[in-house]
Amino acid sequence: MGIYLVMKGDRVEIVIDAGDGTPRTYEITATRAGRRVEVATRRGFVEVSELTRSGTAVRTARFMSSRILALVEHPADESG
């Protein structure tokens, strides 16, 4: 099991094989101050969640590990 934390403004992009020959892309972003994105791998699934400061999930996406083509963490732009 692995857990990775991504801070506010960061986003995680997940590309999956949906079975129809065309990859689908999903994106989870830490949208507000104090929120973070957590990526967890558990029992053949990858779960990506946007969490509040207290750890409450705002939204969650679960994908079968065997269907994931790419999982890319994009850091926030630190110039702003």
Side-chain angles (χ1 to χ4, degrees):
M1 175 174 70
I3 296 177
Y4 310 95
L5 296 178
V6 183
M7 301 311 287
K8 186 234 181 246
D10 291 355
R11 62 189 172 96
V12 175
E13 182 179 2
I14 306 100
V15 181
I16 66 160
D17 174 11
D20 60 3
T22 306
R24 291 189 188 168
T25 303
Y26 297 90
E27 189 174 291
I28 301 287
T29 305
T31 56
R32 292 187 175 178
R35 292 203 178 156
R36 65 185 188 276
V37 176
E38 178 182 282
V39 179
T41 305
R42 299 184 183 105
R43 296 182 175 232
F45 286 92
V46 173
E47 189 174 274
V48 183
S49 302
E50 180 182 2
L51 306 172
T52 62
R53 285 183 182 154
S54 64
T56 304
V58 176
R59 59 187 174 141
T60 300
R62 285 182 70 179
F63 305 95
M64 291 175 53
S65 297
S66 60
R67 293 287 189 172
I68 294 178
L69 302 174
L71 190 144
V72 183
E73 295 179 9
H74 298 279
D77 182 21
E78 295 182 21
S79 64

